[in-house]
Amino acid sequence: DTAVSQTPKYLVTQMGNDKSIKCEQNLGHDTMYWYKQDSKKFLKIMFSYNNKELIINETVPNRFSPKSPDKAHLNLHINSLELGDSAVYFCASSQAVLEPNTGELFFGEGSRLTVL
Amino acid sequence: GQNIDQPTEMTATEGAIVQINCTYQTSGFNGLFWYQQHAGEAPTFLSYNVLDGLEEKGRFSSFLSRSKGYSYLLLKELQMKDSASYLCAVCDSNYQLIWGAGTKLIIKP
């Protein structure tokens, strides 16, 4: 069984379009994340949700909106796509973010977004 | 600002040993992680250090010196499948992960 699954794996679209990426985890984790990995391979956190509540909202454009219908799902909606949004977007989950645990992250396979 | 530095690329020979270094400057410290990422795949967890010293896990070991802001990942008996990027990440005082850009390791026969 896939622990963290995200769809679609590949997404090619035109500038100005709106798109969504879905993520689901079956690990029973409390915290889910969205990361962006650009061409330079830096992983940058975008959002983090703990039990359906946003706890980190890094300085990403408000064109990006996360939605968490329940703690097993964290979807990412992007409005008015721009060329600079092209990247690989990773969903991840962890047991907890504030406990002194290993904080191990379990990543989805990534969604490669290409904006033309 | 917060910063994680690691070499961009390293090359090693199958069967040999390689050490990948990571230095960090962060606001607080709540542990250091190493992740492995094969091309086109997701990062996967390798190790976690929060106390000074060496943590050994099979062919992989990770070392931490908090006073020096320094860690290394040691890979022994290198195999071709170890060709990947190795990401260093530090958990800061807010329990946020700060990521390095990764070290691309190329293994040659």
Side-chain angles (χ1 to χ4, degrees), chain B residues 14-99:
Chain B
E14 191 176 15
I17 299 173
V18 72
Q19 177 175 311
I20 302 173
N21 296 325
C22 171
T23 57
Y24 62 89
Q25 292 175 309
T26 56
S27 54
F29 179 83
N30 279 302
L32 184 143
F33 300 82
W34 284 96
Y35 280 78
Q36 180 190 58
Q37 186 176 23
H38 285 100
E41 297 183 10
T44 54
F45 173 81
L46 287 178
S47 68
Y48 171 72
N49 295 69
V50 67
L51 299 176
D52 290 351
L54 188 68
E55 294 279 343
E56 297 186 77
K57 193 186 289 187
R59 293 188 299 114
F60 292 5
S61 303
S62 55
F63 171 83
L64 175 67
S65 169
R66 287 172 296 169
S67 62
K68 295 182 180 177
Y70 167 70
S71 172
Y72 67 73
L73 181 69
L74 191 71
L75 292 76
K76 302 177 183 176
E77 301 169 15
L78 285 169
Q79 302 174 9
M80 297 303 292
K81 67 178 182 179
D82 297 330
S83 292
S85 287
Y86 291 86
L87 307 173
C88 174
V90 173
C91 186
D92 69 8
S93 56
N94 294 319
Y95 289 93
Q96 293 191 39
L97 276 181
I98 313 299
W99 294 84

Side-chain angles (χ1 to χ4, degrees), chain A residues 35 37 40-43 56 58 90 97-99 101-105 107-109, chain B residues 4 33 35 37 40-45 48 87 94-97 99-102:
Chain A
Y35 277 90
Q37 189 171 41
K40 295 182 179 179
K41 303 302 181 186
F42 277 105
L43 271 168
I56 300 175
E58 296 300 302
F90 284 102
V97 70
L98 296 179
E99 289 183 2
N101 59 7
T102 65
E104 178 182 349
L105 291 175
F107 285 87
E109 291 184 333
Chain B
I4 309 283
F33 300 82
Y35 280 78
Q37 186 176 23
E41 297 183 10
T44 54
F45 173 81
Y48 171 72
L87 307 173
N94 294 319
Y95 289 93
Q96 293 191 39
L97 276 181
W99 294 84

Side-chain angles (χ1 to χ4, degrees), chain A residues 4 13 16 19 42-43 45 77 82 85 91 111:
Chain A
V4 182
T13 189
K19 291 294 177 185
F42 277 105
L43 271 168
I45 189 164
H77 188 75
E82 300 177 358
D85 298 333
C91 176
S111 297

